[in-house]
Amino acid sequence: AVLDAESQLLASANRLDEALAVYDRALVYKPESPAVLLARGALLDRLGRINAGLRALARAAAIAPGDPVVENAYGYTLAYRTRRTGEAHARIRRAIEQAPGSPAIQDSMGYVLYRQGRVAEARSWLEEAFAGLPDPEVAAHLAEVWQAAGERQRARDLAQAALVAYPDSEPARRAAERLLR
C-alpha cells in the first residue's frame, strides 16, 4: 500500500520513470499481485511502452482469470491500443458478466463495440455508462460514437463541455481536437 501510494504520487507529479521503479520494487515483494501489475501496465502504456504494458496486463489476467477489474483493464487496453478487438470484446464481456452494473466496464464495452464498427450497440452501452459515470473519458467515447452516428452537433457539444469541465483531461482534449476542428 505504501509503495502504491508512493508510485501514484510520483506519477501524478509526472515523474513516470521513478513511479515505474517503485512498481518494479513492489513486484519483488509481491510478484503475483494483479493490482501492482495493472498499475504497472497502465503506467507503461502512459510511457508509450505499449507492448510492455500489455505483457503486464496479460500476466495479471493469467494470475486472476475472470477478475472483472483485470479483464476490463486488459480488454480496454487491447481495444484502445491494438486491433485485437475480438479478444478485447471477449475479455470485457467476461467483466460485464461479473460486474454488470459497472459504468467503467460498460464504457469499455461501448468502446470495443465502436472499434468493431458496431455503432448502434456502442451508443447504447456508452449512453448508459455516461449516465452512471459522467467523466471525461466516457464523454470522449460517447462523443466519438455520436459523431459516427451522424449527430455531429451533439458530439461537438459534449466534447466542448467535457473540455471545459476537465481542461487537464487528455481524453477530453483529444476528443475536442478531433471533433471541434
Side-chain angles (χ1 to χ4, degrees):
V2 172
L3 290 177
D4 188 45
E6 180 184 357
S7 59
Q8 287 180 18
L9 284 171
L10 289 166
S12 68
N14 213 27
R15 293 167 54 188
L16 304 181
D17 289 323
E18 293 172 71
L20 184 60
V22 172
Y23 283 128
D24 290 343
R25 276 198 334 261
L27 284 175
V28 169
Y29 298 105
K30 292 183 173 185
E32 301 296 308
S33 171
V36 173
L37 289 164
L38 286 180
R40 185 175 184 276
L43 185 57
L44 286 163
D45 183 73
R46 192 170 159 193
L47 284 163
R49 295 172 54 192
I50 297 161
N51 289 332
L54 286 169
R55 284 191 301 275
L57 296 173
R59 187 166 162 216
I63 292 167
D67 179 288
V69 173
V70 173
E71 293 289 353
N72 184 56
Y74 190 24
Y76 176 78
T77 304
L78 286 170
Y80 184 66
R81 293 294 192 188
T82 76
R83 294 175 192 233
R84 295 161 48 191
T85 59
E87 181 183 353
H89 185 268
R91 289 191 177 282
I92 297 165
R93 169 63 52 207
R94 285 193 293 272
I96 286 282
E97 290 167 0
Q98 297 300 314
S102 167
I105 300 172
Q106 292 167 340
D107 171 61
S108 296
M109 180 57 78
Y111 186 75
V112 75
L113 290 168
Y114 169 67
R115 289 287 311 249
Q116 291 177 323
R118 298 161 63 181
V119 174
E121 291 173 86
R123 178 185 181 151
S124 174
W125 282 99
L126 288 167
E127 287 175 349
E128 187 172 344
F130 189 67
L133 182 65
D135 84 358
E137 189 160 6
V138 180
H141 294 160
L142 182 55
E144 286 183 45
V145 166
W146 282 346
Q147 175 80 6
E151 295 188 47
R152 286 170 181 75
Q153 190 57 51
R154 193 173 186 195
R156 292 171 59 89
D157 291 346
L158 181 56
Q160 180 67 42
L163 186 61
V164 168
Y166 304 95
D168 296 330
S169 166
E170 184 66 23
R173 187 187 57 73
R174 283 193 316 263
E177 285 174 359
R178 280 191 305 278
L179 300 173
L180 299 176
R181 297 186 224 150

